[in-house]
């Protein structure tokens, strides 16, 4: 049972602007707040370009935020990840791991699978000797559904699904507590996607993992997540239990995402998003979704809706639900 009072990560007031020059300013994230509960899979969903990867990289302390804190809770103690450097950050990386969309770009194609899975153990000085490390690699390969003979293969000799199993093995060999999956199944065929999602679920149960599961695909996110946050142009517009949102999406953007992914053939009442998201630079006031929203009113153009808690434990940022 998930305990709301037992978070593992708090994302607090995170904002990030990319400013290449005066004419090219992107508000990638605007005051993003949420908590991830220990043991849950928390899904972050939104169209490409809405700021998901920027947030993931900030959580990993790979890029700087302009504002805000990322608090990781370890043994009851709060650690502000963004203030960590050098050895302290390296030590925390054992606990927080990443699984990317395209493992081919994140793993060395010239190294064999056995070496790739063993490398984190060597870096973090885990295992008494090489024989023990080899044993750990064999066990991990078996956990992710690969025969130990795969140790002698190169990444190019594997299928996309098998490569993603190797990426999972590399991420999990250090026995992390918290894993960020950034579009981890997006490059795979639908049938292989399901196998990898099931593997991630099995590993979550077996190792007691917490996931931040990021994807543009609402079906994928809701398949694996206990709770979901829906992001549009760097802001969270709706957040709540996966089942609640799946059964009854409320924010016009969430409805449109569902319409696109679930009811693609529904000709009765499809809510289709038209056009591209507006330039982020232009958005200084009002609702981020106003320019594409079929319910847009005068107020939406001038006043930014805040995330409000509803009766069913979800939060929503939309003037349609202001009276609640
Ligand atoms: P997502 O992961 O949801 O596709 P990103 O976090 O990659 O979104 O990007 C969010 C926004 O920030 C996009 O408009 C993107 O073009 C912009 N962006 C991302 N990285 C950079 C960068 N290094 N420099 C300038 N703009 C960037």
């Amino acid at each position: 049972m998930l305990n709301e009072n037992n978070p593992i990560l708090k994302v607090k007031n995170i904002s990030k602007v990319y400013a290449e020059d005066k004419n090219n300013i992107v508000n990638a994230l605007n005051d993003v707040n949420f908590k991830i509960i220990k043991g849950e899979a928390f899904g972050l969903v939104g169209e490409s370009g809405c700021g998901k990867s920027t947030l993931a990289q900030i959580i990993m302390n790979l890029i700087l935020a302009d504002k805000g804190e990322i608090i990781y809770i370890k043994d009851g103690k709060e650690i502000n990840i963004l203030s960590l450097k050098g050895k302290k950050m390296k030590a925390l990386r054992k606990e927080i791991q990443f699984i990317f969309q395209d493992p081919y770009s994140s793993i060395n194609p010239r190294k064999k699978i056995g070496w790739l899975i063993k490398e984190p153990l060597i870096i973090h000085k885990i295992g008494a000797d090489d024989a023990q490390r080899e044993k750990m690699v064999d066990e991990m390969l078996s956990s992710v559904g690969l025969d130990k003979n795969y140790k002698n293969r190169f990444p190019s000799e594997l299928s996309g699904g098998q490569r993603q199993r190797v990426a999972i093995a590399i991420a999990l060999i250090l026995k992390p507590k918290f894993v960020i999956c950034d579009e981890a199944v997006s490059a795979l065929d639908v049938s292989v996607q399901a196998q990898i999602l099931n593997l991630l679920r099995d590993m979550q149960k077996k190792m007691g993992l917490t996931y931040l599961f990021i994807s543009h695909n609402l079906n994928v996110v809701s398949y694996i997540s206990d709770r979901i946050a829906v992001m549009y142009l760097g802001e969270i517009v709706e957040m709540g239990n996966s089942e609640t949102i799946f059964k009854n999406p409320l924010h016009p953007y969430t409805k449109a995402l569902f319409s696109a992914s679930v009811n693609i053939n529904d000709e009765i009442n499809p809510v289709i998003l038209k056009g591209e998201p507006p330039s982020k630079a232009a958005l200084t006031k009002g609702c981020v979704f106003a320019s594409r929203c079929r319910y847009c009113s005068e107020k939406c153009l001038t006043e930014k809706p805040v995330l409000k808690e509803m009766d069913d434990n979800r939060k929503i940022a939309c003037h349609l639900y202001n009276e609640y």
Side-chain angles (χ1 to χ4, degrees), residues 16-28 66 278-283:
K16 172 78 184 172
V17 175
Y18 290 110
E20 280 171 11
D21 55 59
K22 257 198 302 191
N23 303 317
N24 200 357
I25 294 172
V26 178
N27 289 300
D66 299 327
S279 152
K280 292 192 174 186
L283 293 164

PDB file of all heavy atoms in Angstrom, residues 16-28 66 278-283:
ATOM      1  N   LYS A  16      12.880  26.580 -15.446  1.00  0.00           N
ATOM      2  CA  LYS A  16      14.078  26.570 -16.289  1.00  0.00           C
ATOM      3  C   LYS A  16      13.799  27.334 -17.583  1.00  0.00           C
ATOM      4  O   LYS A  16      12.822  27.070 -18.279  1.00  0.00           O
ATOM      5  CB  LYS A  16      14.450  25.114 -16.639  1.00  0.00           C
ATOM      6  CG  LYS A  16      15.556  24.970 -17.658  1.00  0.00           C
ATOM      7  CD  LYS A  16      16.906  25.196 -17.048  1.00  0.00           C
ATOM      8  CE  LYS A  16      18.025  25.149 -18.059  1.00  0.00           C
ATOM      9  NZ  LYS A  16      19.320  25.544 -17.505  1.00  0.00           N
ATOM     10  N   VAL A  17      14.652  28.293 -17.880  1.00  0.00           N
ATOM     11  CA  VAL A  17      14.551  29.043 -19.127  1.00  0.00           C
ATOM     12  C   VAL A  17      15.809  28.756 -19.938  1.00  0.00           C
ATOM     13  O   VAL A  17      16.911  28.787 -19.403  1.00  0.00           O
ATOM     14  CB  VAL A  17      14.470  30.573 -18.838  1.00  0.00           C
ATOM     15  CG1 VAL A  17      14.483  31.381 -20.137  1.00  0.00           C
ATOM     16  CG2 VAL A  17      13.228  30.896 -18.024  1.00  0.00           C
ATOM     17  N   TYR A  18      15.629  28.410 -21.227  1.00  0.00           N
ATOM     18  CA  TYR A  18      16.780  28.325 -22.121  1.00  0.00           C
ATOM     19  C   TYR A  18      16.838  29.641 -22.877  1.00  0.00           C
ATOM     20  O   TYR A  18      15.873  30.005 -23.552  1.00  0.00           O
ATOM     21  CB  TYR A  18      16.614  27.194 -23.144  1.00  0.00           C
ATOM     22  CG  TYR A  18      16.695  25.801 -22.566  1.00  0.00           C
ATOM     23  CD1 TYR A  18      15.564  24.994 -22.503  1.00  0.00           C
ATOM     24  CD2 TYR A  18      17.905  25.275 -22.115  1.00  0.00           C
ATOM     25  CE1 TYR A  18      15.634  23.695 -22.003  1.00  0.00           C
ATOM     26  CE2 TYR A  18      17.978  23.975 -21.609  1.00  0.00           C
ATOM     27  CZ  TYR A  18      16.845  23.200 -21.563  1.00  0.00           C
ATOM     28  OH  TYR A  18      16.913  21.926 -21.074  1.00  0.00           O
ATOM     29  N   ALA A  19      17.921  30.352 -22.750  1.00  0.00           N
ATOM     30  CA  ALA A  19      18.038  31.652 -23.430  1.00  0.00           C
ATOM     31  C   ALA A  19      19.304  31.651 -24.264  1.00  0.00           C
ATOM     32  O   ALA A  19      20.395  31.930 -23.765  1.00  0.00           O
ATOM     33  CB  ALA A  19      18.066  32.765 -22.393  1.00  0.00           C
ATOM     34  N   GLU A  20      19.158  31.254 -25.551  1.00  0.00           N
ATOM     35  CA  GLU A  20      20.343  31.234 -26.405  1.00  0.00           C
ATOM     36  C   GLU A  20      20.753  32.651 -26.760  1.00  0.00           C
ATOM     37  O   GLU A  20      21.924  32.984 -26.815  1.00  0.00           O
ATOM     38  CB  GLU A  20      20.068  30.414 -27.654  1.00  0.00           C
ATOM     39  CG  GLU A  20      20.212  28.936 -27.306  1.00  0.00           C
ATOM     40  CD  GLU A  20      19.768  28.009 -28.403  1.00  0.00           C
ATOM     41  OE1 GLU A  20      19.537  28.464 -29.534  1.00  0.00           O
ATOM     42  OE2 GLU A  20      19.637  26.807 -28.094  1.00  0.00           O
ATOM     43  N   ASP A  21      19.750  33.496 -27.029  1.00  0.00           N
ATOM     44  CA  ASP A  21      19.992  34.928 -27.188  1.00  0.00           C
ATOM     45  C   ASP A  21      18.676  35.643 -26.903  1.00  0.00           C
ATOM     46  O   ASP A  21      17.679  34.999 -26.565  1.00  0.00           O
ATOM     47  CB  ASP A  21      20.522  35.254 -28.597  1.00  0.00           C
ATOM     48  CG  ASP A  21      19.588  34.717 -29.677  1.00  0.00           C
ATOM     49  OD1 ASP A  21      18.413  35.125 -29.660  1.00  0.00           O
ATOM     50  OD2 ASP A  21      20.011  33.900 -30.500  1.00  0.00           O
ATOM     51  N   LYS A  22      18.689  36.985 -27.070  1.00  0.00           N
ATOM     52  CA  LYS A  22      17.500  37.780 -26.683  1.00  0.00           C
ATOM     53  C   LYS A  22      16.233  37.368 -27.425  1.00  0.00           C
ATOM     54  O   LYS A  22      15.126  37.449 -26.919  1.00  0.00           O
ATOM     55  CB  LYS A  22      17.783  39.268 -26.965  1.00  0.00           C
ATOM     56  CG  LYS A  22      18.103  40.043 -25.688  1.00  0.00           C
ATOM     57  CD  LYS A  22      17.958  41.528 -25.896  1.00  0.00           C
ATOM     58  CE  LYS A  22      18.866  41.979 -27.010  1.00  0.00           C
ATOM     59  NZ  LYS A  22      19.044  43.393 -27.186  1.00  0.00           N
ATOM     60  N   ASN A  23      16.422  36.903 -28.686  1.00  0.00           N
ATOM     61  CA  ASN A  23      15.248  36.565 -29.499  1.00  0.00           C
ATOM     62  C   ASN A  23      14.860  35.099 -29.413  1.00  0.00           C
ATOM     63  O   ASN A  23      13.940  34.663 -30.089  1.00  0.00           O
ATOM     64  CB  ASN A  23      15.531  36.918 -30.970  1.00  0.00           C
ATOM     65  CG  ASN A  23      15.887  38.371 -31.097  1.00  0.00           C
ATOM     66  OD1 ASN A  23      15.246  39.220 -30.486  1.00  0.00           O
ATOM     67  ND2 ASN A  23      16.942  38.646 -31.860  1.00  0.00           N
ATOM     68  N   ASN A  24      15.609  34.351 -28.638  1.00  0.00           N
ATOM     69  CA  ASN A  24      15.369  32.916 -28.612  1.00  0.00           C
ATOM     70  C   ASN A  24      15.312  32.416 -27.162  1.00  0.00           C
ATOM     71  O   ASN A  24      16.240  31.796 -26.666  1.00  0.00           O
ATOM     72  CB  ASN A  24      16.511  32.242 -29.382  1.00  0.00           C
ATOM     73  CG  ASN A  24      16.122  30.858 -29.838  1.00  0.00           C
ATOM     74  OD1 ASN A  24      15.019  30.383 -29.534  1.00  0.00           O
ATOM     75  ND2 ASN A  24      17.020  30.194 -30.525  1.00  0.00           N
ATOM     76  N   ILE A  25      14.193  32.756 -26.520  1.00  0.00           N
ATOM     77  CA  ILE A  25      14.039  32.405 -25.103  1.00  0.00           C
ATOM     78  C   ILE A  25      12.930  31.369 -24.960  1.00  0.00           C
ATOM     79  O   ILE A  25      11.822  31.557 -25.476  1.00  0.00           O
ATOM     80  CB  ILE A  25      13.698  33.665 -24.274  1.00  0.00           C
ATOM     81  CG1 ILE A  25      14.904  34.615 -24.319  1.00  0.00           C
ATOM     82  CG2 ILE A  25      13.368  33.304 -22.828  1.00  0.00           C
ATOM     83  CD1 ILE A  25      14.654  35.958 -23.711  1.00  0.00           C
ATOM     84  N   VAL A  26      13.238  30.249 -24.307  1.00  0.00           N
ATOM     85  CA  VAL A  26      12.234  29.203 -24.117  1.00  0.00           C
ATOM     86  C   VAL A  26      12.015  28.970 -22.623  1.00  0.00           C
ATOM     87  O   VAL A  26      12.945  28.640 -21.895  1.00  0.00           O
ATOM     88  CB  VAL A  26      12.710  27.876 -24.772  1.00  0.00           C
ATOM     89  CG1 VAL A  26      11.692  26.774 -24.533  1.00  0.00           C
ATOM     90  CG2 VAL A  26      12.940  28.071 -26.251  1.00  0.00           C
ATOM     91  N   ASN A  27      10.773  29.155 -22.175  1.00  0.00           N
ATOM     92  CA  ASN A  27      10.427  28.820 -20.789  1.00  0.00           C
ATOM     93  C   ASN A  27      10.148  27.324 -20.726  1.00  0.00           C
ATOM     94  O   ASN A  27       9.018  26.893 -20.878  1.00  0.00           O
ATOM     95  CB  ASN A  27       9.165  29.584 -20.359  1.00  0.00           C
ATOM     96  CG  ASN A  27       9.449  31.048 -20.188  1.00  0.00           C
ATOM     97  OD1 ASN A  27      10.281  31.443 -19.388  1.00  0.00           O
ATOM     98  ND2 ASN A  27       8.767  31.862 -20.982  1.00  0.00           N
ATOM     99  N   ALA A  28      11.191  26.532 -20.528  1.00  0.00           N
ATOM    100  CA  ALA A  28      11.028  25.072 -20.610  1.00  0.00           C
ATOM    101  C   ALA A  28      10.215  24.514 -19.449  1.00  0.00           C
ATOM    102  O   ALA A  28       9.426  23.591 -19.628  1.00  0.00           O
ATOM    103  CB  ALA A  28      12.387  24.395 -20.685  1.00  0.00           C
ATOM    104  N   ASP A  66      16.887  27.071 -12.938  1.00  0.00           N
ATOM    105  CA  ASP A  66      17.033  28.489 -12.586  1.00  0.00           C
ATOM    106  C   ASP A  66      16.488  28.736 -11.187  1.00  0.00           C
ATOM    107  O   ASP A  66      16.927  29.642 -10.494  1.00  0.00           O
ATOM    108  CB  ASP A  66      16.252  29.374 -13.576  1.00  0.00           C
ATOM    109  CG  ASP A  66      16.769  29.193 -14.977  1.00  0.00           C
ATOM    110  OD1 ASP A  66      17.978  28.954 -15.125  1.00  0.00           O
ATOM    111  OD2 ASP A  66      15.963  29.249 -15.920  1.00  0.00           O
ATOM    112  N   PRO A 278       1.946  26.820 -29.086  1.00  0.00           N
ATOM    113  CA  PRO A 278       2.483  28.143 -29.403  1.00  0.00           C
ATOM    114  C   PRO A 278       3.918  28.274 -28.912  1.00  0.00           C
ATOM    115  O   PRO A 278       4.376  27.466 -28.117  1.00  0.00           O
ATOM    116  CB  PRO A 278       1.562  29.074 -28.622  1.00  0.00           C
ATOM    117  CG  PRO A 278       1.030  28.250 -27.511  1.00  0.00           C
ATOM    118  CD  PRO A 278       0.960  26.857 -28.023  1.00  0.00           C
ATOM    119  N   SER A 279       4.585  29.323 -29.396  1.00  0.00           N
ATOM    120  CA  SER A 279       5.943  29.581 -28.919  1.00  0.00           C
ATOM    121  C   SER A 279       5.911  29.838 -27.423  1.00  0.00           C
ATOM    122  O   SER A 279       5.074  30.571 -26.923  1.00  0.00           O
ATOM    123  CB  SER A 279       6.486  30.811 -29.643  1.00  0.00           C
ATOM    124  OG  SER A 279       7.428  31.440 -28.818  1.00  0.00           O
ATOM    125  N   LYS A 280       6.836  29.203 -26.710  1.00  0.00           N
ATOM    126  CA  LYS A 280       6.831  29.372 -25.256  1.00  0.00           C
ATOM    127  C   LYS A 280       7.224  30.783 -24.869  1.00  0.00           C
ATOM    128  O   LYS A 280       6.881  31.269 -23.813  1.00  0.00           O
ATOM    129  CB  LYS A 280       7.806  28.400 -24.633  1.00  0.00           C
ATOM    130  CG  LYS A 280       7.362  26.985 -24.758  1.00  0.00           C
ATOM    131  CD  LYS A 280       8.216  26.161 -23.875  1.00  0.00           C
ATOM    132  CE  LYS A 280       7.699  24.744 -23.857  1.00  0.00           C
ATOM    133  NZ  LYS A 280       8.421  23.966 -22.909  1.00  0.00           N
ATOM    134  N   ALA A 281       8.003  31.408 -25.745  1.00  0.00           N
ATOM    135  CA  ALA A 281       8.481  32.742 -25.418  1.00  0.00           C
ATOM    136  C   ALA A 281       7.311  33.715 -25.286  1.00  0.00           C
ATOM    137  O   ALA A 281       7.339  34.668 -24.523  1.00  0.00           O
ATOM    138  CB  ALA A 281       9.430  33.217 -26.495  1.00  0.00           C
ATOM    139  N   ALA A 282       6.235  33.425 -26.044  1.00  0.00           N
ATOM    140  CA  ALA A 282       5.108  34.356 -26.083  1.00  0.00           C
ATOM    141  C   ALA A 282       4.210  34.252 -24.856  1.00  0.00           C
ATOM    142  O   ALA A 282       3.345  35.088 -24.641  1.00  0.00           O
ATOM    143  CB  ALA A 282       4.280  34.074 -27.334  1.00  0.00           C
ATOM    144  N   LEU A 283       4.436  33.206 -24.049  1.00  0.00           N
ATOM    145  CA  LEU A 283       3.498  32.949 -22.963  1.00  0.00           C
ATOM    146  C   LEU A 283       3.924  33.633 -21.675  1.00  0.00           C
ATOM    147  O   LEU A 283       4.795  33.159 -20.965  1.00  0.00           O
ATOM    148  CB  LEU A 283       3.409  31.446 -22.713  1.00  0.00           C
ATOM    149  CG  LEU A 283       2.786  30.675 -23.852  1.00  0.00           C
ATOM    150  CD1 LEU A 283       3.076  29.215 -23.718  1.00  0.00           C
ATOM    151  CD2 LEU A 283       1.290  30.925 -23.897  1.00  0.00           C
TER     152      LEU A 283
END
